[in-house]
Amino acid sequence: MSHVPAPGDSPLRSERTPRDEAPQFVLPLVVRIERSAPPARTDALETAARAVLLLLGDERARGAGEWAEAVRNWEDARIRKVVRRARGAEWRRAEALPGITVTGKSAEVRVFPPVPLDGWPKDLAKLQVSGTELDDPEPPAAADPALPVLWLNPGLEMSAGKAMAQAGHGAQLAWWALPGAERTAWRDAGFALSVRTAAPADWHRLTTAGLPLVRDAGFTEIAPGSCTVVADHPALR
């Protein structure tokens, strides 16, 4: 069973806790960005969130599965995620490593079992974190209220890579908050979800609705404790 933090004990807290003294793990995600056909930003965010959920729901990540110990070590500390980019031969080498490739409408994201913070496989360690600036060719359609929505903070500017990691955090917190039957239903639906930037007028309501909130630890780009994502799953409303 996945570790579920007690209330007030979020692995995304900005202040140090005893778990910070334990060995730290990170969940690697790699987005494919070919020069000639980069993915749309929103599709990349949604595909990354689904990739995190698919790993969490995979049999290899649970019980006595081959990834289970790494997942437990990761979830018992801060649930760090790092998104790197790859193309061409870099992407082919990444695909040869154990993991799950998830395809969206235009995006491909591969998620790997957690690794020690200072122990990345060499074919992932040399991939670049920067350069994940992506755009939407046209504004995304309105989110379907019947599906889970990961709402991004409209007051924060984040690179696509940072936003992908934050969407993954939001999806994971929603997964943890759901009872077993709802987890199964979401998995059976292919982890359908949307990622959208909230309207400024709606942000206060969303952050005070009792839904899972992502508060960033402040390692990169934004201030510690910033609320980046609200995970709005219909079963949690």
Side-chain angles (χ1 to χ4, degrees):
M1 179 177 178
S2 296
H3 167 75
V4 180
D9 190 32
S10 168
L12 298 170
R13 293 172 68 182
S14 56
E15 65 270 22
R16 289 188 67 81
T17 71
R19 65 159 48 96
D20 291 312
E21 307 310 317
Q24 298 293 300
F25 282 71
V26 62
L27 186 79
L29 296 115
V30 175
V31 56
R32 184 178 186 180
I33 303 181
E34 300 289 348
R35 285 195 182 96
S36 60
R41 179 185 174 97
T42 295
D43 189 42
L45 269 59
E46 292 173 348
T47 304
R50 288 174 48 232
V52 171
L53 291 165
L54 281 162
L55 182 132
L56 292 172
D58 194 286
E59 291 184 357
R60 290 168 289 184
R62 305 196 305 271
E66 61 189 284
W67 300 342
E69 182 177 3
V71 170
R72 285 193 295 271
N73 288 336
W74 170 60
E75 290 186 329
D76 281 341
R78 295 180 182 269
I79 54 170
R80 295 186 185 186
K81 300 174 182 69
V82 173
V83 177
R84 301 192 176 203
R85 61 182 172 87
R87 62 172 178 260
E90 296 172 331
W91 175 256
R92 291 190 291 274
R93 286 193 292 270
E95 280 211 303
L97 298 174
I100 302 169
T101 296
V102 183
T103 302
K105 295 176 182 177
S106 62
E108 285 183 84
V109 175
R110 188 163 179 84
V111 61
F112 304 86
V115 298
L117 194 59
D118 57 356
W120 286 63
K122 65 177 183 179
D123 283 331
L124 299 184
K126 58 189 176 183
L127 298 177
Q128 296 295 310
V129 176
S130 61
T132 53
E133 290 306 323
L134 301 171
D135 296 309
D136 282 314
E138 55 189 48
D144 185 342
L147 294 177
V149 184
L150 304 175
W151 294 107
L152 303 176
N153 185 335
L156 293 178
E157 292 287 337
M158 293 184 281
S159 67
K162 178 71 172 181
M164 289 169 69
Q166 298 301 303
H169 292 333
Q172 184 167 2
L173 294 188
W175 172 257
W176 279 348
L178 290 171
E182 296 296 342
R183 285 186 180 186
T184 299
W186 200 9
R187 183 169 55 232
D188 291 348
F191 292 116
L193 56 82
S194 299
V195 178
R196 296 290 186 273
T197 299
D202 291 338
W203 187 242
H204 177 73
R205 174 184 60 80
L206 288 167
T207 57
T208 57
L211 296 166
L213 304 177
V214 177
R215 293 195 179 277
D216 191 63
F219 294 121
T220 60
E221 295 193 25
I222 57 179
S226 299
C227 183
T228 57
V229 178
V230 175
D232 183 10
H233 191 291
L236 301 176
R237 291 170 190 159

